[in-house]
Amino acid sequence: MKKFQVAGIDMPCIDLALSVDNFPKPNGGAKVNTASWQGGGKVATGMVAAARLGAHCAIMGAVGEDNYGTFCVEDFKAHGIDVSGLQVQKGKTTSLSIVISDKETKGRSIVYNTGSASLPRVEELDEEIITGCEYFFVAHLSPTVVEAAKKAKAAGAKIFIDADNYNEELMENIGLIDIFVGSEFVYDALFPGDADYEKNCQKVREMGPKVVAFTLGGKGCVGLSDEGFFEMPTFDVPVIDTVGAGDVFHGAFLAGLLQGWSVKEICRFGNAVSSIKVTRQGGRAGIPDMKTALHFMETGEIDYTEIDKRVAFYGRSMQYV
């Protein structure tokens, strides 16, 4: 038995999610309808989703020694995530993203301030967490992350990637990956203009990963494993905010793996969890627990009793950290 079911590495950040009717033009302004402070980061938010769905998780990386960093740490703790491997770097700052969603275009615009905190060196990471997990969760394949993933794999972990962006690092290290879940942007970069999903999932599989899936936004997802190929449509829900939908899908995917479900079942589950999330503002407030997700899959109904308590909490200001 491993100490953790899922361990991951990231540079957590803060998202200030704002909703407006119309994005302001130069020298103009716009009234904010709703505002919400929530944690961000691909692995970080995916880890919160996995933990909400019952996984025992640990997060590594770093935040700054500021209110934003404190918020990140406390939010992980509130979700039962082990933070012993997360550095709080003295005198450093945590990244902030301001995410503005406008009703007119149903789009979002992001401005961000990169903090001064930096990813720890591999020798600074907690060896017991790296070697003590069933799944090692990564997104950005920096040298530190790659070396940590190699250690985790040597200790028996399966390497799971949120492949949201196509880059050289991804392709150079794809043979290290066991479960590859890529975005539509990565698919389009790999196979421009080619909609033969089964053939192209097989091509990625031949590069090393045993499980390959691609998320396709509103079109759902596709996947291939030893169980075969499938296409899985998404659920029809009223969309409020798509921020974090992909991150949450990845966390749900990990939770499904831990349940021992088939990859096809896992992707339907991931679609359900991310569909519930997009009905509320921000990347984390709308993440359901397992009971809520399964009820939605069975009935098509979303129980917002607990979710809207989370919405209210995240709608408070930073003074509530």
Side-chain angles (χ1 to χ4, degrees):
M1 289 287 293
K2 296 284 190 175
K3 183 176 182 180
F4 299 105
Q5 292 177 309
V6 182
I9 183 167
D10 201 1
M11 290 296 292
C13 64
I14 287 290
D15 288 347
L16 171 56
L18 305 174
S19 172
V20 299
D21 289 332
N22 305 285
F23 192 82
K25 295 178 171 57
N27 301 314
K31 178 182 178 296
V32 172
N33 296 321
T34 56
S36 184
W37 292 90
Q38 300 184 35
K42 294 185 182 306
V43 171
T45 295
M47 195 77 75
V48 169
R52 287 272 294 153
L53 296 163
H56 186 205
C57 304
I59 184 76
M60 296 181 291
V63 294
E65 188 187 36
D66 53 13
N67 285 343
Y68 296 159
T70 301
F71 186 100
C72 291
V73 172
E74 293 304 315
D75 198 45
F76 288 133
K77 288 181 179 178
H79 289 98
I81 296 171
D82 187 286
V83 296
S84 61
L86 183 65
Q87 292 184 7
V88 178
Q89 295 180 344
K90 189 173 182 180
K92 302 295 185 179
T93 58
T94 308
S95 297
L96 167 69
S97 294
I98 300 174
V99 185
I100 305 174
S101 301
D102 70 280
K103 292 182 179 179
E104 181 182 25
T105 68
K106 301 189 185 309
R108 66 177 188 259
S109 303
I110 303 174
V111 294
Y112 56 89
N113 179 37
T114 303
S116 59
S118 58
L119 193 68
R121 299 187 302 273
V122 68
E123 58 268 23
E124 297 177 303
L125 297 176
D126 191 320
E127 190 91 13
E128 290 188 2
I129 294 176
I130 295 172
T131 59
C133 62
E134 294 178 44
Y135 291 93
F136 194 71
F137 185 10
V138 301
H140 305 291
L141 291 173
S142 68
T144 290
V145 172
V146 170
E147 288 307 308
K150 288 178 179 177
K151 286 187 177 183
K153 188 157 188 167
K158 289 183 171 60
I159 311 303
F160 178 98
I161 191 168
D162 173 351
D164 189 52
N165 296 301
Y166 176 84
N167 51 49
E168 290 182 6
E169 291 77 16
L170 174 64
M171 302 315 297
E172 288 171 358
N173 295 286
I174 196 168
L176 180 64
I177 307 303
D178 295 291
I179 302 105
F180 178 103
V181 183
S183 69
E184 59 188 316
F185 310 111
V186 171
Y187 182 91
D188 290 341
L190 285 168
F191 312 109
D194 187 349
D196 190 335
Y197 296 121
E198 181 173 4
K199 175 191 71 176
N200 293 326
C201 282
Q202 180 59 34
K203 285 183 178 179
V204 176
R205 222 177 158 226
E206 290 168 359
M207 299 177 192
K210 298 299 182 185
V211 175
V212 175
F214 285 98
T215 57
L216 305 173
K219 294 184 290 185
C221 61
V222 297
L224 179 67
S225 68
D226 286 341
E227 303 158 11
F229 174 77
F230 62 88
E231 298 186 36
M232 183 63 61
T234 190
F235 293 82
D236 184 18
V237 295
V239 177
I240 299 297
D241 187 357
T242 60
V243 171
D247 306 334
V248 169
F249 180 92
H250 291 84
F253 200 108
L254 282 159
L257 286 169
L258 291 167
Q259 293 290 329
W261 296 335
S262 71
V263 177
K264 185 176 181 179
E265 290 173 322
I266 289 169
C267 283
R268 183 170 184 266
F269 177 69
N271 280 349
V273 173
S274 58
S275 292
I276 295 171
K277 187 237 75 72
V278 303
T279 66
R280 291 296 184 263
Q281 185 178 27
R284 296 191 186 172
I287 301 172
D289 58 18
M290 182 65 82
K291 180 180 178 181
T292 302
L294 294 178
H295 178 75
F296 172 65
M297 293 173 72
E298 292 171 4
T299 68
E301 300 172 351
I302 303 173
D303 181 354
Y304 285 109
T305 305
E306 194 258 352
I307 288 174
D308 281 345
K309 290 179 182 178
R310 293 169 55 79
V311 170
F313 172 79
Y314 285 119
R316 298 172 174 181
S317 70
M318 292 297 293
Q319 66 179 308
Y320 288 90
V321 171

